Amino acid sequence: MALERAFIFLGPPGAGKGTQAKILARRYGMPHLSTGDMLREAIAQGTKVGLEAKPLMDRGELVPDALVTKMIAERLESGDCNNGCVFDGYPRTVNQAIDLDHLLQWRGMGKPVVIEFRVPADKLLRRLSGRWTCSVNGETYNIYEAPPKVEGICDFDGGKLIQRPDDRPEVISERLAAYEFRTRPLTDYYWRKGVLDVIDGSAPMEDVTKAVMKIVRRIGGR
Ligand code: AMP
């Protein structure tokens, strides 16, 4: 059953947004829109956007608003988001949020459902520094909390696990600072609009999924 709503997963890097966004999107057949994944894809393809984004991403800084919003606007054009979608890592600044409001209104997608994932700083550091990703299928692991069966190897396809360049300790602190200064104000922005739900992102993964589903049921999903 389509939910016909745009979900926005808000929270610092390492809060579990990506994992939960994938679960929700899969369960309801909605597209999962991660600007981080789109940018990494652009870098891998060597596009103009990729070339512009790479040095900023490597330093843990945000890429310009206009660049990500254009990417999202083009993605929404394809029409498969009209029955709902999950935004993960977008918007990240108040300007992006304002742009997204306009885009959603323009496409008749109504008010978003915004879920903020709260996680204490020490836990975020542990999650980010322990995160390894399959180089083949993008599956993520955490060497402390959810390790693969064999060290360095993906459980599903045997792919080599790699660490994201921006999950190195010196970059992590920059990304957390970018969240504090540029993205944190969004919680206030959405709270004022009456569309914000807050959940405990530090709970075990299944419990976080349950908390997300509780919100889904409240808005009429099953
Ligand atoms: P993520 O995979 O969401 O952690 O994003 C990785 C990096 O991509 C971030 O540290 C930023 O450099 C860049 N990025 C992703 N989404 C955005 C966004 N909405 N606005 C600006 N920069 C972004």
Side-chain angles (χ1 to χ4, degrees):
M1 188 205 65
L3 291 171
E4 301 191 347
R5 297 292 288 272
F7 287 80
I8 295 173
F9 283 8
L10 202 61
K17 304 184 299 292
T19 305
Q20 297 297 334
K22 279 186 200 135
I23 294 173
L24 180 66
R26 211 176 287 150
R27 195 169 287 189
Y28 291 95
M30 297 186 284
H32 165 212
L33 273 56
S34 155
T35 40
D37 286 349
M38 290 177 187
L39 291 166
R40 280 183 288 276
E41 180 65 28
I43 291 173
Q45 308 262 322
T47 66
K48 199 166 153 263
V49 166
L51 286 175
E52 185 175 346
K54 187 169 185 331
L56 296 162
M57 288 173 75
D58 284 349
R59 291 200 297 270
E61 293 170 26
L62 297 187
V63 309
D65 290 338
L67 191 150
V68 271
T69 295
K70 184 163 178 274
M71 235 168 44
I72 288 290
E74 284 170 3
R75 181 64 186 75
L76 292 180
E77 279 300 311
S78 63
D80 64 340
C81 299
N82 293 350
N83 288 330
C85 61
V86 189
F87 290 101
D88 159 18
Y90 180 86
R92 256 178 160 98
T93 65
V94 171
N95 279 337
Q96 292 179 20
I98 294 170
D99 285 339
L100 181 60
D101 279 346
H102 291 146
L103 284 171
L104 294 179
Q105 208 173 2
W106 171 253
R107 305 200 67 81
M109 290 170 75
K111 279 190 180 181
V113 179
V114 185
I115 304 180
E116 183 198 349
F117 292 61
R118 281 212 189 139
V119 180
D122 57 334
K123 193 131 194 178
L124 291 176
L125 286 175
R126 200 172 144 87
R127 282 191 181 166
L128 291 168
S129 59
R131 178 159 72 180
W132 289 77
T133 307
C134 174
S135 53
V136 180
N137 66 15
E139 187 71 26
T140 53
Y141 296 86
N142 187 287
I143 53 169
Y144 308 116
E145 294 174 3
K149 292 192 184 98
V150 180
E151 194 184 320
I153 303 288
C154 177
D155 291 353
F156 298 102
D157 61 10
K160 186 171 179 283
L161 301 187
I162 50 169
Q163 193 172 32
R164 267 172 53 170
D166 58 352
D167 280 345
R168 282 173 292 124
E170 61 277 22
V171 188
I172 289 174
S173 51
E174 191 60 47
R175 291 166 65 206
L176 292 176
Y179 182 78
E180 277 312 313
F181 293 113
R182 315 266 322 262
T183 311
R184 173 88 64 195
L186 288 187
T187 55
D188 201 41
Y189 176 87
Y190 286 121
W191 180 77
R192 283 168 194 276
K193 287 183 180 284
V195 295
L196 181 72
D197 273 287
V198 179
I199 62 176
D200 173 13
S202 67
M205 197 182 91
E206 295 75 19
D207 293 346
V208 181
T209 305
K210 279 185 197 148
V212 172
M213 292 308 156
K214 202 169 157 194
I215 295 167
V216 168
R217 279 196 299 278
R218 198 191 66 216
I219 62 154
R222 275 179 292 154

